[in-house]
Amino acid sequence: MVICSGFTQALAIVCQVLAEQGATTMAVETYGHQHHRAVIAGNGLKVTPVPVDRHGAIVAHLDGADSALLTPAHQFPVGVPLSAERRTAAVRWAANSGATIIEDDYDGEFRYDSHAVGALQALAPDQVVYAGTASKSLAPGLRLAWLVLPAHLVDRVAAAKRLADFQTGVLDQLTLAEFIQSGQYDRHIRKSRLAYRHRRDRLVDAIQRRVPGVAVTGIAAGLHAVLELRPDQEENRVVGLASSRGLALEGLSAYRAEPDTHPPALVVGYGTPPAHAYTTALARLCAVLDDST
Amino acid sequence: MVICSGFTQALAIVCQVLAEQGATTMAVETYGHQHHRAVIAGNGLKVTPVPVDRHGAIVAHLDGADSALLTPAHQFPVGVPLSAERRTAAVRWAANSGATIIEDDYDGEFRYDSHAVGALQALAPDQVVYAGTASKSLAPGLRLAWLVLPAHLVDRVAAAKRLADFQTGVLDQLTLAEFIQSGQYDRHIRKSRLAYRHRRDRLVDAIQRRVPGVAVTGIAAGLHAVLELRPDQEENRVVGLASSRGLALEGLSAYRAEPDTHPPALVVGYGTPPAHAYTTALARLCAVLDDST
């Protein structure tokens, strides 16, 4: 296990090591963080797109890449899990082609409706780099992430980490270790999971009652939902109206690697508003959706 | 000002930006941390040596490099400040050749015997990157450093920092900010300076009384001294004997960029032992020096 200063550094360092070992391309889901694509490109790998459908990344599109960044448990931001068939196909692709997959398990602690989705890394420990983070379970400002690595990458990644910033801050690491060992971290996760699930249920309920034309998807896990707008609602217009009423939302297109067409949709982070403001935020969101036809 | 996760990251990011802008070489004092040379080389710059004498780096040797890493206030590890003439010559070299100097002010808070040595950066703010750190004043495990940059580098360095790890942990940053604003940081520095000065004085006194053939140098500032051994004392032998008696010391040659000959010397970090163990550590050091002829 290598501790990194957040997922950004974890991704940067693994890309750097893969590039040093001869990798030239990293396949990335067509919906995701632009920042991650910039990190990959900044470390010398060409970003190639993998389309996403309701079963997750279409892994047949991995062919030709020599590495991949995937969000198998809860595709970000579309919100679907990678199907069992696709998971098998992805690790088969990696094993056959000698490719490395980075599994970005950014919100694995928060699964609500079904059994936990196992890590892809467990299916192919020699091909998959598992990346976990405290950004969702504790705070993004904490900058703590951890990598479970194929054995042949451990020394190289540790060396690259040392050259990047010597080590991650020890106060945060020791505090988290104490938090985990005392059992308080698990209690915090269970409590947070209930709270976020409650927020999600309230979001779904409010949208269904007050803006029934809008579908809420991607909600089996995590801290965000995708609202599929009515065909007559333009993303940019809804985002602008929301902004004018104090709501920071983004359209699904903000996460798109390349131009394509998709039905209009919003990405809504329901973990963000403080507890006392959640009712108001929900009411405003419904009003914005209702007014933006 | 760009906040970085320790000096290692600050150096890595500045090297990366300089290399992107066409720099190919970085001149480095022949005595210094091997780790820093590895960071520079790992970011694509060739390391070229600058010899050090009792006036600091011999800046005439900067010619031919397009960037430089210097420790002007307190050469590490030799311990001398860069002389006024050399300071002027260094910034003139940078201005005339368009080079960038990184000023590693690793222990600037701890100056004992003379007026504070001004920052090189103040002489040439468009040529010099000033790097400060909390590693000596608070703790190396904290991973907090700060860069004061020439205006033309600010945006590029901030962008590189964002791609490296998005941001430095905010809890540490907010805690330090509060510590500074409350005046407690200044009190801590003043108190630490007195304590370290007292340790230094005790070290000098013990060596003079008990091992008079050994000279103590580089002591006007910082947390380490250089002990110039007698000609018949071999560095490796003294370091080995010290280690067998529970003292972790290093020979000056451990900090040498390239083979050369220098009189045998030890680098002694007198800030390291806990307060209750300092008397014993000093006694053991003197005994080691006395026994290692």
Side-chain angles (χ1 to χ4, degrees):
Chain A
M1 178 117 79
V2 173
I3 305 295
C4 288
S5 306
F7 179 72
T8 293
Q9 186 185 57
L11 177 61
I13 285 174
V14 173
C15 287
Q16 199 180 313
V17 168
L18 294 176
E20 280 165 16
Q21 295 192 303
T24 59
T25 56
M26 182 169 283
V28 176
E29 294 157 343
T30 49
Y31 291 90
H33 287 293
Q34 303 285 4
H35 176 64
H36 293 170
R37 295 182 198 111
V39 170
I40 296 165
N43 284 283
L45 298 177
K46 183 166 180 276
V47 175
T48 62
V50 179
V52 173
D53 66 13
R54 66 202 171 85
H55 303 294
I58 305 177
V59 298
H61 286 258
L62 293 171
D63 286 340
D66 42 33
S67 61
L69 170 63
L70 299 176
T71 51
H74 188 223
Q75 204 285 329
F76 187 84
V78 172
V80 294
L82 191 63
S83 72
E85 294 74 17
R86 297 265 177 92
R87 293 161 67 86
T88 309
V91 299
R92 195 186 303 127
W93 163 77
N96 290 344
S97 65
T100 301
I101 297 173
I102 303 173
E103 175 176 25
D104 177 10
D105 189 28
Y106 64 97
D107 67 359
E109 298 84 358
F110 301 115
R111 175 150 294 278
Y112 310 121
D113 293 338
S114 54
H115 292 295
V117 175
L120 203 62
Q121 208 264 345
L123 297 181
D126 288 338
Q127 253 72 45
V128 181
V129 174
Y130 174 90
T133 171
S135 287
K136 309 301 177 297
S137 60
L138 293 169
L142 202 53
R143 313 317 296 146
L144 279 177
W146 42 90
L147 291 171
V148 181
L149 291 149
H152 68 279
L153 290 178
V154 173
D155 288 348
R156 287 189 176 91
V157 169
K161 161 68 180 169
R162 195 174 156 83
L163 286 188
D165 66 356
F166 201 74
Q167 63 183 352
T168 291
V170 297
L171 293 183
D172 289 344
Q173 290 191 63
L174 290 171
T175 307
L176 178 58
E178 171 70 24
F179 200 43
I180 292 170
Q181 275 164 4
S182 69
Q184 293 293 319
Y185 181 75
D186 277 349
R187 281 188 58 190
H188 165 74
I189 295 293
R190 286 196 298 273
K191 198 174 140 190
S192 304
R193 194 187 291 131
L194 276 176
Y196 288 134
R197 182 183 177 145
H198 185 57
R199 283 188 178 214
R200 181 204 64 164
D201 292 345
R202 288 185 61 197
L203 170 68
V204 172
D205 181 61
I207 299 287
Q208 282 178 345
R209 279 191 299 108
R210 299 174 51 187
V211 224
V214 169
V216 188
T217 63
I219 55 175
L223 304 175
H224 75 278
V226 174
L227 306 191
E228 298 178 357
L229 301 175
R230 295 187 302 260
D232 60 328
Q233 292 178 302
E234 279 178 32
E235 269 182 32
N236 288 346
R237 216 174 140 259
V238 182
V239 170
L241 188 60
S243 174
S244 73
R245 297 187 189 176
L247 291 179
L249 306 175
E250 288 202 272
L252 188 55
S253 53
Y255 296 94
R256 206 166 54 189
E258 45 185 20
D260 73 352
T261 55
H262 66 82
L266 294 184
V267 179
V268 175
Y270 53 79
T272 308
H276 70 268
Y278 194 63
T279 301
T280 307
L282 268 190
R284 284 192 191 169
L285 174 62
C286 291
V288 164
L289 292 169
D290 209 29
D291 292 352
S292 61
T293 307
Chain B
M1 179 118 78
V2 174
I3 305 295
C4 289
S5 305
F7 179 71
T8 293
Q9 185 185 57
L11 177 61
I13 286 174
V14 173
C15 287
Q16 199 181 312
V17 168
L18 293 176
E20 280 166 14
Q21 296 192 301
T24 58
T25 56
M26 182 170 282
V28 176
E29 294 155 342
T30 48
Y31 291 89
H33 286 293
Q34 303 286 3
H35 176 63
H36 293 170
R37 295 181 197 112
V39 170
I40 295 165
N43 284 283
L45 297 177
K46 182 165 181 280
V47 175
T48 62
V50 179
V52 173
D53 65 14
R54 67 202 169 85
H55 302 295
I58 304 176
V59 298
H61 286 258
L62 294 170
D63 286 339
D66 41 32
S67 61
L69 170 63
L70 298 176
T71 50
H74 189 221
Q75 204 285 327
F76 187 86
V78 172
V80 293
L82 191 63
S83 72
E85 295 73 20
R86 296 265 176 90
R87 293 161 67 87
T88 308
V91 299
R92 194 186 304 127
W93 163 77
N96 290 344
S97 65
T100 301
I101 296 173
I102 303 173
E103 175 176 24
D104 177 10
D105 189 27
Y106 64 97
D107 65 0
E109 298 84 359
F110 302 115
R111 176 150 293 277
Y112 311 122
D113 292 338
S114 56
H115 293 293
V117 175
L120 202 62
Q121 208 263 345
L123 297 180
D126 288 338
Q127 252 73 45
V128 181
V129 175
Y130 173 91
T133 171
S135 287
K136 308 302 177 298
S137 60
L138 293 169
L142 202 52
R143 312 317 297 147
L144 278 177
W146 42 90
L147 290 171
V148 180
L149 292 150
H152 69 280
L153 290 178
V154 172
D155 289 347
R156 287 188 175 92
V157 169
K161 161 67 181 169
R162 196 175 155 83
L163 287 187
D165 66 357
F166 202 73
Q167 63 183 355
T168 292
V170 298
L171 293 183
D172 289 345
Q173 288 191 64
L174 290 170
T175 307
L176 179 57
E178 171 70 24
F179 199 43
I180 292 170
Q181 275 165 3
S182 69
Q184 293 293 319
Y185 181 75
D186 276 349
R187 280 188 57 190
H188 165 75
I189 295 294
R190 285 196 298 273
K191 197 175 141 191
S192 305
R193 194 188 291 131
L194 277 177
Y196 289 133
R197 182 182 178 146
H198 185 57
R199 282 188 178 215
R200 182 203 62 164
D201 292 345
R202 288 185 61 197
L203 169 69
V204 172
D205 181 62
I207 298 287
Q208 283 178 344
R209 281 191 299 108
R210 298 173 52 186
V211 224
V214 169
V216 188
T217 63
I219 55 174
L223 305 175
H224 76 278
V226 174
L227 306 192
E228 298 179 358
L229 301 175
R230 295 186 303 261
D232 60 327
Q233 292 179 302
E234 277 178 34
E235 269 183 33
N236 287 346
R237 213 173 143 258
V238 181
V239 170
L241 187 61
S243 174
S244 73
R245 299 189 188 174
L247 291 180
L249 306 176
E250 287 203 273
L252 188 56
S253 53
Y255 296 95
R256 208 165 54 190
E258 45 186 18
D260 73 354
T261 54
H262 65 82
L266 294 184
V267 180
V268 175
Y270 52 79
T272 309
H276 70 268
Y278 193 65
T279 301
T280 307
L282 269 190
R284 284 193 192 169
L285 174 62
C286 291
V288 164
L289 291 169
D290 209 29
D291 293 352
S292 60
T293 307

